[in-house]
Amino acid sequence: HKRHHYQRNNNNMARFLLLVLATVASVGTAWMTMSTQKPQPIASLQSRMKTFAATTAISASIILGTISGAQAVDFTGSYSDPNHPGCPRLIAVEETTAIINGADGNPGCPTGNGNPWRLIGKTSEREIFVDFSPKGGPKDLKGVWEEATNPGIRWPDGTFWK
């Protein structure tokens, strides 16, 4: 299975550390600004605190928005389908378009060969929508990415491609 989980987890850790550093920098800047000035009326201090809170919130939302975007799964890889043992299931993703190549045997593919097929789908975050109608299935079957010891795609009928 070709997966980039460690790379994605490292990217998330880097973004989290960036959020922490931005927060620390905001706090430090606000503290230095307030401590080097003459005493201010309460209204001025409240105004500065609101500005600090808004700046921190904006920084956090930008950085956390990047983290959520990083949660998108790259479905590219090879999978095994328990309903068709030994039959290939290969997914290639370019942007949000997925091309799924596979084969079906009767019931499996003991020699790795079978009746080949190609399907088209779309990905979105942790979901993949595949048009199985060329094989007699539904047009937009939704598969959901599941993190597990052996991560993979869970289909509505309970089948798990790993």
Side-chain angles (χ1 to χ4, degrees):
H1 304 287
K2 183 181 172 192
R3 291 284 163 251
H4 305 287
H5 297 292
Y6 296 113
Q7 182 179 359
R8 190 171 63 244
N9 288 339
N10 287 340
N11 287 343
N12 286 344
M13 180 59 76
R15 288 183 179 103
F16 174 75
L17 290 174
L18 183 60
L19 173 62
V20 170
L21 288 174
T23 303
V24 169
S26 295
V27 169
T29 302
W31 180 258
M32 287 174 36
T33 301
M34 289 191 300
S35 65
T36 59
Q37 294 181 350
K38 296 178 185 175
Q40 300 289 320
I42 296 292
S44 177
L45 289 175
Q46 287 174 337
S47 173
R48 288 180 191 278
M49 290 307 290
K50 285 179 185 176
T51 302
F52 163 71
T55 304
T56 302
I58 290 168
S59 299
S61 66
I62 291 169
I63 294 169
L64 289 175
T66 305
I67 291 173
S68 329
Q71 296 300 322
V73 172
D74 180 2
F75 286 90
T76 300
S78 63
Y79 298 85
S80 61
D81 178 349
N83 296 330
H84 300 278
C87 297
R89 299 289 186 266
L90 305 169
I91 299 178
V93 178
E94 182 67 34
E95 294 183 14
T96 60
T97 301
I99 298 173
I100 303 92
N101 289 300
D104 291 339
N106 191 11
C109 304
T111 62
N113 296 321
N115 299 320
W117 47 260
R118 175 178 276 199
L119 305 173
I120 303 296
K122 293 282 181 195
T123 62
S124 174
E125 296 294 321
R126 304 179 67 77
E127 299 173 334
I128 184 168
F129 299 87
V130 181
D131 180 3
F132 277 91
S133 63
K135 292 182 49 162
K139 183 161 180 58
D140 285 316
L141 190 66
K142 178 173 96 171
V144 178
W145 182 257
E146 286 187 7
E147 292 291 336
T149 303
N150 291 309
I153 304 167
R154 177 77 60 192
W155 299 99
D157 68 356
T159 301
F160 188 68
W161 288 9
K162 59 181 178 175

